[in-house]
């Protein structure tokens, strides 16, 4: 945003401040100065008055002008098409430097020329017209022969600042001045009161409003009549040109100038297009689904506040009567609603999205006061106003916490003083020792909590004025904390995964809701209003879907073996976050090579489980019935008695759909995965004894029951047992023959056969009596 020192001076007295003071202050309060420049018109450029104009006798495009510069009349040859008698102009006298040129008395086509009538660009300013610059009293009282650089406008400083998106309140000259006034502890300049015109029609005679309750917008409506050609003052033209906003339409120039000066956003409508041959316009203002305000007339949309206005109702060069609307909409409403409209006014959205000025009365008065200088503009009396329906945000002030956060003792009175300077309303409790601050509406979107209050106080104090304090560092055990343990758990699992031949895969935290539903996983009820793509339209509830897609992609790109893992956040149906880890192994166990005679074996369930055991350590399996897994190869994973996840082969139908084969997957909760520290135990020096036991079990009988039954015996010398074989043939009919291997060992002696036999008898007896199983 660009402004000048004199423009800023309209709102704040800066007579005792130089450019460096202003730049330092702006940077200190968080308004970063991008660039500055000083522009002063050369000496010997003075105010002149064109008394006569005659055609050059030897050139059709040249004029010979008699120009009064106060103490003498000069003859100047001028080629500008817009030069005319009765104009005040900028005259460069002999010796004046205009760019790289020094003005001298000369002859042009045989006629003496004693100076030069200048354009704005020749003096170093932006272009405001085609031809010479015509002076008027907007720059000050015009005195013939007075040096032009004696007028502040032509000896000015230009400042360009960069604003963060949250500082929409400073997106105007007035907003910057307001912040500087708080920093300098100065009062803003007294506002010029706009005096309502006498003997004119009232707004209520031509405009009526029908309003919904609880709007998220505020409005101020005025009516203005244009009775002829308009011409904005020179000062306004120069300033608008400096910010790149000077247009051919002078009506629009008035609005642009008022918006850049005050921050208030305006819409302007052609009365005749709204009225449709009626004497009065009736506007309806209502709140839509996303909270935005829409203005309609005769069932047609006129504008959506803060987003756009319909072009057919906009003013134009032929407009005779205009309805002027100043408005403000809460920024979060604009942010939520803007993407639902194809029609958008980018300049309006740029301001309203960041938070425009809320003092509409000030902005309208400023605009109308500028218009009153034009004799061809008539302003109707009174206005229609719609105020805020929301209360100001109130934040409880904790002085001790503020001082601790900032790192400086400011004191209650100091905090109150700063907040008052920034426009906060201080509310003191009945007890008198507690108080809160009401946030001004123009900072509504930016100030939300006590941390924001701290930031405001630091801005006003100046970060360089807060004394640095030495930090007290006490070394502590950095390993004994949950954060480190969580990190170390995930790190170790990843390392072991890589050592077992798995590659890490990383995906978005978003996933396809449709694909998740097909797999049978729950989906998040929270809807994404603006998803990245249609394939990433929901928060993921599992890591499996991404791994399946990645595996399919790898197989289609000629990979023969795919082993991937991923760890990251997933969400339940209520969008509650948790951490999980998942694996997929599919196709072949290994690549084709000499050792497998170029015919590698396919991945199987037991190979996958063995790799998982190497990664996760010991775990237990229990029956499961998950629809997306093969009914014959799946189980829940338990660790230390807690269910942490599942493992199994992808359902054959889903394998075919995803162009996969022999796809084994596993997913478990990192939050529930308990890493038990390794503990070293003494081992026996004496030999172990191995015994096998074959038992007949029904085919629907779970091995888990047998396992628990044997554990309950608590046999001290039984160090381990595991299932080693399952056999079935026609003679066994509806039964399996399972073989269990038992390992016996004592810490203090070599075991005798009688001890082994006694233990085996106990096992056989309990299996027969408790489970009804018999030996084969």
């Amino acid at each position: 945003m660009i402004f000048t020192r004199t423009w800023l001076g309209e709102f704040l007295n800066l007579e005792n401040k130089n450019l460096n003071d202003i730049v330092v202050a702006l940077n200190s309060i968080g308004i970063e100065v991008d660039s500055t420049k000083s522009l002063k018109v050369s000496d010997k450029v003075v105010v002149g008055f064109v008394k006569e104009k005659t055609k050059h006798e030897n050139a059709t495009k040249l004029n010979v002008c008699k120009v009064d510069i106060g103490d003498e009349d000069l003859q100047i040859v001028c080629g500008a098409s817009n030069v005319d008698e009765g104009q005040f102009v900028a005259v460069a006298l002999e010796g004046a430097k205009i760019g790289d040129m020094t003005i001298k008395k000369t002859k042009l086509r045989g006629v003496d020329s004693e100076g030069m009538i200048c354009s704005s660009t020749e003096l170093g300013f932006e272009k405001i017209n085609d031809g010479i610059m015509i002076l008027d009293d907007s720059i000050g009282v015009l005195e013939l022969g007075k040096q032009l650089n004696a007028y502040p406008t032509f000896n000015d400083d230009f400042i360009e600042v960069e604003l963060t998106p949250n500082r929409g309140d400073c997106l105007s000259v007035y907003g910057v001045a307001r912040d500087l006034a708080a920093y300098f502890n100065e009062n803003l300049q007294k506002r010029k009161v706009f005096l309502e015109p006498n003997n004119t029609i009232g707004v209520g005679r031509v405009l009526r409003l029908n309003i919904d309750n609880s709007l998220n917008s505020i409005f101020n409506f005025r009516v203005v009549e244009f009775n002829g050609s308009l011409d904005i003052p020179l000062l306004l033209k120069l300033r608008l040109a400096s910010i790149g906003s000077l247009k051919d339409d002078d009506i629009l120039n008035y609005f642009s100038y008022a918006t850049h000066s005050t921050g208030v956003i305006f819409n302007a409508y052609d009365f005749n297009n709204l009225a449709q041959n009626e004497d009065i316009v009736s506007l309806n203002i209502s709140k839509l689904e996303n909270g935005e305000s829409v203005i309609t007339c005769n069932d047609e949309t006129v504008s959506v506040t803060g987003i756009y206005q319909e072009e057919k109702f906009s003013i134009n060069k032929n407009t005779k009567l205009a309805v002027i609307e100043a408005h403000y909409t809460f920024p979060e409403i604009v942010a939520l609603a803007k993407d639902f409209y194809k029609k958008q006014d980018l300049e309006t959205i740029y301001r309203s999205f960041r938070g425009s000025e809320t003092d509409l009365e000030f902005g309208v008065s400023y605009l109308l006061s500028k218009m009153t200088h034009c004799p061809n503009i008539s302003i109707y009396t009174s206005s229609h106003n719609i105020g805020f329906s929301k209360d100001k945000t109130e934040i409880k002030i904790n002085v001790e916490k503020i001082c601790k956060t900032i790192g400086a003792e400011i004191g209650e009175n100091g905090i109150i003083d700063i907040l008052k300077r920034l426009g906060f309303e201080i509310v003191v409790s009945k007890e008198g020792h507690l108080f809160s601050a009401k946030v001004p509406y123009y900072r509504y979107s930016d100030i939300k909590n006590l941390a924001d209050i701290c930031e405001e106080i630091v801005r006003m104090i100046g970060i360089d004025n807060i004394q640095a304090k030495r930090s007290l560092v006490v070394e502590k055990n950095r390993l004994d904390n949950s954060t480190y343990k969580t990190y170390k758990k995930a790190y170790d699992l990843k390392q072991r995964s890589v050592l077992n031949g798995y590659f890490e895969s990383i995906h978005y935290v978003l996933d396809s809701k449709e694909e998740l539903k097909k797999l049978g996983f729950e989906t998040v009820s929270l809807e994404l209003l603006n998803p990245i793509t249609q394939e990433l339209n929901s928060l993921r509830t599992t890591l499996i879907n991404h791994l399946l897609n990645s595996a399919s992609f790898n197989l289609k790109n000629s990979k023969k073996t795919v082993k991937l893992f991923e760890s990251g956040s997933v969400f339940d149906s209520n969008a509650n976050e948790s951490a999980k880890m998942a694996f997929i192994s599919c196709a072949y166990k290994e690549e084709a090579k000499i050792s497998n005679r170029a015919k590698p074996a396919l991945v199987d369930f037991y190979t996958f489980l063995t790799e998982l055991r190497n990664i996760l350590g010991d775990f237990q399996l229990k029956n499961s019935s998950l629809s997306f897994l093969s009914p014959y190869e799946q189980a829940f994973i338990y660790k230390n008695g807690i269910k942490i996840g599942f493992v199994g082969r992808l359902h054959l139908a889903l394998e075919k759909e995803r162009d996969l084969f022999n796809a084994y997957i596993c997913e478990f909760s990192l939050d529930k995965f308990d890493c038990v520290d390794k503990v070293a135990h003494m081992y026996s020096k004496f030999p172990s004894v191995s015994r096998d036991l074959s038992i007949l079990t029904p085919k629907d009988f779970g091995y888990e029951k047998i396992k628990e039954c044997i554990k309950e015996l608590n046999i001290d010398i039984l160090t381990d047992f595991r299932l080693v074989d399952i056999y079935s043939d026609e003679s066994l009919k509806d039964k399996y023959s399972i073989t269990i291997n038992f390992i016996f060992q004592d810490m203090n002696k070599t075991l005798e056969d009688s001890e082994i036999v006694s233990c085996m008898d106990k096992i056989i007896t309990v299996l027969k009596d408790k489970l009804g199983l018999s030996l084969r």
Side-chain angles (χ1 to χ4, degrees), residues 47-80:
V47 176
F49 180 75
V50 182
K51 297 171 70 175
E52 295 179 7
K53 183 189 82 168
T54 58
K55 283 290 183 182
H56 194 293
E57 58 185 12
N58 298 321
T60 57
K61 292 186 178 181
L62 297 178
N63 295 294
V64 180
C65 300
K66 185 178 180 181
V67 182
D68 184 359
I69 60 169
D71 54 357
E72 63 175 317
D73 292 344
L74 301 179
Q75 179 175 285
I76 299 175
V77 178
C78 180

Side-chain angles (χ1 to χ4, degrees), residues 85-99:
E85 295 177 0
Q87 295 173 338
F88 286 93
V89 292
V91 179
L93 305 178
E94 184 180 11
K97 286 189 175 294
I98 304 298

Side-chain angles (χ1 to χ4, degrees), residues 21 67 150 163-164 291 294 306 318 324 336 347 396 403 415 427 439 448 571 573-575 577 592 600 630 703 730:
D21 293 335
V67 182
L163 293 171
T164 52
V294 62
N318 299 318
I324 297 175
L336 185 64
E347 186 174 348
K396 292 183 179 180
C403 294
I415 292 173
V427 181
V439 181
K448 298 293 185 183
F571 302 83
S573 58
N574 296 318
E577 185 178 0
S630 168
Y703 172 70
E730 293 180 358

Side-chain angles (χ1 to χ4, degrees), residues 169-170 173-183 188 357 421 442:
D169 61 297
C170 288
V173 183
Y174 171 69
V176 173
R178 180 171 52 201
D179 240 30
L180 278 176
Y183 181 79
L188 289 169
E357 177 57 46
R421 280 191 273 145
Y442 58 82

